[in-house]
Amino acid sequence: MSSEENKRLVRQFYEEIDKGNLDAMDELVAENYIDHSPPPFPGLGKGREGLKQGFKIFWEATPGYHQIEDQIAEGDKVVTRLTAYGKHERDLPGAPRTGNDLKMTSVTIHRIANGKLTEKWAEKDVIGFLKQIGVMPR
């Protein structure tokens, strides 16, 4: 796939997540997907199923959307700088509902093979997020 096709795949991934369409992950994400920075939720499976489980937890508790700020692609990798927005409407594991508006920035790298996302590395503002959901003091 070209760099532009790879970037389009990553954009489609976030668009489907924003719609809550976890079934689209079967088309977009490899079954043996490796998340090098998975959410810290107990009991998540591995691979694509673990990704779907994590996103389902977030989607139900903190519905929102992703705004892509920048994308750079080279070879089989796409780097995306994005901001995620949501609202803490339901409990997360270890974090009761606050009703707070949420904003978290991230720089995420996806590796693509055979037209699917196969690996992910992410640097997220986790401390800021934990403060917003009441787990850490502001």
Side-chain angles (χ1 to χ4, degrees):
M1 292 175 62
S2 72
S3 293
E4 287 306 312
E5 289 169 321
N6 286 344
K7 289 181 351 186
R8 192 170 21 259
L9 175 66
V10 172
R11 285 192 305 269
Q12 183 181 2
F13 170 77
Y14 286 112
E15 288 167 6
E16 297 300 335
I17 291 297
D18 291 349
K19 294 176 195 172
N21 184 6
L22 297 181
D23 291 337
M25 299 305 105
D26 295 336
E27 292 177 32
L28 304 173
V29 178
E31 187 175 352
N32 60 347
Y33 177 81
I34 300 170
D35 188 343
H36 295 280
S37 48
F41 301 145
L44 291 183
K46 296 206 180 283
R48 180 174 58 214
E49 288 308 309
L51 170 81
K52 289 165 74 171
Q53 291 165 354
F55 271 121
K56 185 174 192 277
I57 291 168
F58 272 115
W59 176 252
E60 290 176 351
T62 62
Y65 65 96
H66 297 84
Q67 181 175 318
I68 293 176
E69 313 290 351
D70 288 304
Q71 275 190 315
I72 301 166
E74 185 172 325
D76 63 351
K77 293 190 179 73
V78 176
V79 179
T80 306
R81 183 176 66 86
L82 59 91
T83 304
Y85 297 91
K87 189 165 188 76
H88 191 193
E89 294 183 350
R90 290 191 180 167
D91 296 349
L92 284 166
R97 177 198 177 279
T98 63
N100 291 344
D101 290 327
L102 305 173
K103 177 182 175 182
M104 183 169 63
T105 57
S106 173
V107 175
T108 302
I109 302 169
H110 284 98
R111 186 174 71 80
I112 297 157
N114 301 317
K116 293 191 177 197
L117 304 175
T118 58
E119 276 185 275
K120 181 197 90 176
W121 298 262
E123 292 297 326
K124 301 173 187 169
D125 180 15
V126 175
I127 296 214
F129 179 74
L130 293 175
K131 288 178 181 180
Q132 293 172 71
I133 63 171
V135 173
M136 291 182 69
R138 290 183 180 253

